[in-house]
Amino acid sequence: MSVPMLKIGAVLSTMAMVTNWMSQTLPSLVGLNGTVISSEGTHERIVSGLYPGSEEGWQVYSTASDPDGRCVCTVVAPARNLCKRDPRSRQLRLLTEQVQNVSQSMEVVDLRTSRDLQYVRDSEPLLRGVDGRLHTYVANPRALTAKGLQELKGQMSQLRPLLSVVEQYRLDLQTLATLRLELLNLSIILTAIQEEVGAYDYEELQQRVLLLETRLHSCMNKLGCGRLTAVSTPITVRASGSRFGSWMTDAMIPSSDSRVWSMDGYYKGRRVLEYRTMGDFTKGQNFVQHLLPHPWAGTGHVVYNGSLYYNKHQSNILIQYHFRSRSVLLQRSLSGAGYNNTFPYSWGGSSDIDLMADEMGLWAVYTSIPNAGNIMVSRLDSRSLEVLRSWDTGFPKRSAGEAFMICGTLYVTNSHLAGAKVHFAYHTNSSTYEYTDIPFHNQYSHISMMDYNPRERALYTWNNGHQVLYNVTLFHVIRSDG
């Protein structure tokens, strides 16, 4: 079965991997399944530097996760033009250790890919069964109404890319096998270099490492942005605070910051609690307090690159508060934006301005009188809070329960109460919208904050005095030019 236009391998890395993998990851993240959280953060990372100086530095390129979601090693590649003759045996020994770490990383990716391939293989009988029934209905139209036939055809078309996924994963496995062989050869070369320090020209080695870097980058990019297709069952991290509030981790990518922040209430609050790790947050220990110089309004706050961005009480002024310096770095008015319950979400609470971050950067969701109360989305410069570009979604903000951004797409829920679902999506890359039907379990029946964190690929919510996490399922499409 062919796919129109481009050769499309629809990589459903989240149907099995995210649903199963992250449903295990998030409980581990918050310490709900007995997994020990490392003292350095929410993930266990093995990061080692080869050279101490910046001129000779080796750069951390990317990381891989094991099937349980923990970071187990770091892929290290030399910066361009830094490979040169180096007689120091200790550095070469460390380089050999790094190659071994890369090998471990490939084993992890291989295991994960093999598991996803098995999931797709298990799905093939279902796909072929649906295809068979469709042919039956086509041969005997009386067995199904015309409307039902069209619906079934639509479902078939959506599932058909699974056949391409099977072949794509087979190719991935072959690629990983080739990479492992190449790493083995590189290890042999490094062993020879150790025996004859200074007698080897590094130029060829540099080219091979750079080639490996490029191929690894191509492989890791397959788990990039995608379209939201499902929200998992909720994971209650903690019960604390009042009915309304917000909590978050730093949304900047990449970041090793493991701190968690909590802001109770939506009206004239100034106290921000900062916890060292997610484990400390779940236990309510090891925290410090920040007293903001200006009170906040609503619950639409976000932490991005070490700073808190929030809406100043009874104004449309946005404030950037830097945690480490405990000072306000920036204030700027969001021109025309309503405030003080002029255009809130359906639950009220001065939620006129909602700040959020995703893989693309910092965003503001709000509305104004000229926009007739419809949701506006503006991309912000995090350094100046200037509006870079704005979109009018056409969706009335008072009809929205909450909203969040994923990969440049705004997702809107139809309620903050029980029975809520993700009802509307606006794609800023194409300036188009669609209505969706993505249900999720509103366990405590009153959501006053819902934000996506691109580092964890999870939704953070404040639900009636409970801090709750949801895993998201994203549909990935890899386009190839042949």
Side-chain angles (χ1 to χ4, degrees):
M1 288 180 252
S2 63
V3 179
M5 298 178 68
L6 300 174
K7 297 178 182 178
I8 300 179
V11 182
L12 301 177
S13 60
T14 54
M15 293 179 66
M17 181 180 68
V18 178
T19 302
N20 295 327
W21 167 33
M22 286 298 291
S23 64
Q24 299 174 29
T25 302
L26 292 180
S28 301
L29 176 68
V30 299
L32 298 180
N33 65 350
T35 302
V36 176
I37 301 176
S38 67
S39 59
E40 296 299 320
T42 58
H43 295 294
E44 296 175 2
R45 300 182 183 272
I46 301 175
V47 180
S48 58
L50 184 61
Y51 295 105
S54 59
E55 293 299 319
E56 299 178 298
W58 284 58
Q59 55 187 331
V60 175
Y61 172 70
S62 64
T63 59
S65 300
D66 67 10
D68 292 327
R70 285 189 296 265
C71 186
V72 296
C73 67
T74 299
V75 179
V76 177
R80 297 181 182 274
N81 301 322
L82 289 180
C83 281
K84 54 189 176 182
R85 296 180 184 274
D86 189 339
R88 292 173 288 186
S89 60
R90 175 179 175 276
Q91 294 167 346
L92 292 173
R93 176 177 56 81
L94 292 176
L95 178 58
T96 303
E97 294 174 0
Q98 295 298 330
V99 173
Q100 293 172 351
N101 284 342
V102 175
S103 179
Q104 294 173 6
S105 179
M106 290 298 96
E107 291 294 334
V108 169
V109 177
D110 189 10
L111 176 61
R112 189 169 59 210
T113 305
S114 300
R115 185 182 63 183
D116 291 342
L117 178 59
Q118 183 60 48
Y119 176 86
V120 178
R121 285 172 176 163
D122 293 341
S123 301
E124 281 190 86
L126 174 61
L127 173 63
R128 299 189 186 279
V130 172
D131 195 17
R133 288 196 298 272
L134 180 59
H135 285 298
T136 300
Y137 293 139
V138 172
N140 182 17
R142 295 180 181 179
L144 189 67
T145 65
K147 180 180 179 181
L149 180 59
Q150 292 301 320
E151 292 175 349
L152 190 55
K153 284 183 178 180
Q155 294 173 353
M156 222 313 250
S157 297
Q158 293 177 7
L159 289 173
R160 194 166 294 160
L162 279 172
L163 297 178
S164 300
V165 177
V166 174
E167 182 60 29
Q168 181 64 48
Y169 275 124
R170 289 195 185 103
L171 295 175
D172 286 347
L173 289 174
Q174 295 174 5
T175 300
L176 289 170
T178 302
L179 287 173
R180 285 199 303 272
L181 179 60
E182 187 167 341
L183 287 171
L184 177 60
N185 293 336
L186 185 56
S187 298
I188 295 174
I189 293 176
L190 290 173
T191 300
I193 293 176
Q194 279 186 304
E195 296 174 353
E196 300 180 13
V197 175
Y200 189 86
D201 190 348
Y202 281 74
E203 184 176 355
E204 180 183 355
L205 177 60
Q206 177 191 18
Q207 295 302 318
R208 295 190 67 179
V209 171
L210 292 177
L211 176 62
L212 176 61
E213 176 184 5
T214 302
R215 296 172 71 179
L216 279 172
H217 188 269
S218 175
C219 181
M220 298 299 288
N221 273 348
K222 289 188 176 182
L223 297 180
C225 271
R227 179 169 297 191
L228 180 68
T229 59
V231 178
S232 75
T233 55
I235 301 171
T236 301
V237 178
R238 186 183 178 193
S240 66
S242 64
R243 191 179 190 186
F244 312 97
S246 61
W247 70 295
M248 65 218 78
T249 57
D250 199 317
M252 178 74 173
I253 299 178
S255 175
S256 59
D257 197 334
S258 61
R259 292 175 293 172
V260 180
W261 292 270
S262 176
M263 302 169 67
D264 191 10
Y266 70 84
Y267 183 73
K268 297 179 65 174
R270 294 178 59 196
R271 190 175 73 132
V272 182
L273 298 184
E274 175 187 302
Y275 296 84
R276 189 180 60 180
T277 67
M278 184 69 77
D280 291 331
F281 175 72
T282 60
K283 300 173 184 177
Q285 64 184 22
N286 293 330
F287 65 87
V288 296
Q289 176 177 293
H290 296 266
L291 193 62
L292 300 178
H294 307 287
W296 71 69
T299 59
H301 328 301
V302 64
V303 174
Y304 189 75
N305 197 22
S307 289
L308 171 69
Y309 295 84
Y310 71 97
N311 175 210
K312 184 179 178 181
H313 176 62
Q314 289 191 336
S315 74
N316 59 10
I317 294 175
L318 308 182
I319 294 179
Q320 179 188 4
Y321 174 85
H322 190 246
F323 283 116
R324 296 207 183 276
S325 65
R326 293 178 175 264
S327 62
V328 171
L329 300 185
L330 192 62
Q331 296 189 57
R332 194 182 195 96
S333 174
L334 187 58
S335 180
Y339 61 92
N340 199 27
N341 273 329
T342 304
F343 297 109
Y345 290 126
S346 60
W347 63 274
S350 299
S351 55
D352 303 74
I353 298 176
D354 192 359
L355 301 175
M356 54 192 71
D358 69 354
E359 292 83 354
M360 308 301 179
L362 192 63
W363 302 83
V365 172
Y366 60 99
T367 191
S368 64
I369 293 177
N371 293 105
N374 293 330
I375 291 179
M376 289 288 296
V377 181
S378 292
R379 188 171 180 183
L380 305 178
D381 185 333
S382 62
R383 294 166 297 182
S384 66
L385 289 178
E386 288 187 79
V387 173
L388 302 177
R389 185 179 174 184
S390 297
W391 294 261
D392 186 343
T393 67
F395 192 92
K397 192 165 185 291
R398 287 183 175 272
S399 298
E402 271 291 339
F404 53 91
M405 297 289 298
I406 298 181
C407 298
T409 295
L410 177 72
Y411 294 95
V412 181
T413 68
N414 63 345
S415 174
H416 62 283
L417 303 173
K421 62 183 178 181
V422 180
H423 175 67
F424 177 85
Y426 187 89
H427 309 288
T428 60
N429 62 342
S430 60
S431 299
T432 59
Y433 70 89
E434 63 178 313
Y435 287 94
T436 60
D437 187 9
I438 305 175
F440 62 93
H441 182 39
N442 187 347
Q443 186 171 3
Y444 303 105
S445 304
H446 196 288
I447 293 177
S448 59
M449 167 259 179
M450 191 175 213
D451 273 341
Y452 171 72
N453 187 295
R455 288 174 55 202
E456 305 296 344
R457 295 221 163 169
L459 292 175
Y460 283 61
T461 68
W462 189 291
N463 194 338
N464 213 355
H466 297 80
Q467 291 72 54
V468 181
L469 287 173
Y470 292 88
N471 163 43
V472 296
T473 299
L474 303 181
F475 179 80
H476 303 272
V477 176
I478 303 301
R479 298 183 183 272
S480 171
D481 58 5

